[in-house]
Amino acid sequence: MGKLLVEMTMSLDGFISGPDVRVGQPLGLEGERLHEWLFSPDNDVDREATDEIFDTSGAVLMGRRVFDTIEGWGDEDPFGRPCFVVTHRAHEERVRGATTYTFVTAGLTDALERAQAAAGEKDVTIMGGAQLAQQYLGAGLVDELRIHVAPVLFGAGTRLFDLAGMGQTDLELTRCTSSPKASHLRYAFAR
């Protein structure tokens, strides 16, 4: 069984989206600037980080709000693997290309177990939603943080680390690479 990863890109001031996230604008106002390194990697560092995301991930966890906003992407689907949408609203499974979206209403643990079964030996990656990432972090279930810091300041949007009640957490930096478009940081939890 692989690890549970939080894989997120954020601005230097800690936002994973710009303001005004909605259908048709899933990353908020100018939020696509965060992912220039991912969608148009033009150097070895960014290409390696991009390849690693897709080579090691066997399944994806995301929140319902993230799923609802990516519905506006049309036929474009970047995941290409089983996705598990953690939600309180039941919905029948949806298939788009190589991606199957399964809606899990029984909570974090059930969603994680289903994702691990689908991923096999590969990792399960939380790619969508600060709230979902915060819930898994708060439950102590995350093995590794992979944070990609884009050289932009948003001043507003969705923060990744609003972790009320989590307390102090020690992390170990296990890798740090950088390009003009992003710094790629990997942290393991010191347990």
Side-chain angles (χ1 to χ4, degrees), residues 8 11 21 24 30 36 43 49 53 62 71 73-74 76 81-82 96 99 101 107 110 116 118 125 127 134 165 173 185:
M8 298 274 178
S11 63
V21 171
E30 299 207 20
E36 289 177 2
N43 59 71
I53 291 170
M62 68 178 61
E71 277 286 282
W73 292 2
E76 183 181 332
R81 59 203 22 83
R96 181 186 288 164
T99 304
Y101 294 93
D110 184 52
Q116 287 171 326
T125 306
M127 281 190 188
Q134 291 170 22
L173 179 65
L185 309 171

Side-chain angles (χ1 to χ4, degrees), residues 48 50-58 81 122-123:
E48 182 180 313
T50 300
D51 290 347
E52 182 177 42
I53 291 170
F54 294 103
D55 290 347
T56 64
S57 178
R81 59 203 22 83
K122 289 191 167 194
D123 296 327

Side-chain angles (χ1 to χ4, degrees), residues 122-164:
K122 289 191 167 194
D123 296 327
V124 173
T125 306
I126 300 169
M127 281 190 188
Q131 287 182 350
L132 186 65
Q134 291 170 22
Q135 289 173 28
Y136 277 103
L137 285 163
L141 297 171
V142 176
D143 297 304
E144 190 173 286
L145 290 173
R146 292 182 184 177
I147 305 297
H148 311 278
V149 182
V152 297
L153 297 170
F154 279 171
T158 305
R159 285 198 181 276
L160 177 56
F161 294 116
D162 283 343
L163 299 170

Side-chain angles (χ1 to χ4, degrees), residues 18-50:
D20 194 25
V21 171
R22 57 186 155 88
V23 173
Q25 191 170 279
L27 297 173
L29 188 62
E30 299 207 20
E32 66 280 351
R33 294 176 60 205
L34 292 171
H35 294 95
E36 289 177 2
W37 70 271
L38 178 64
F39 294 123
S40 58
D42 59 5
N43 59 71
D44 289 342
V45 171
D46 293 337
R47 259 190 296 282
E48 182 180 313
T50 300

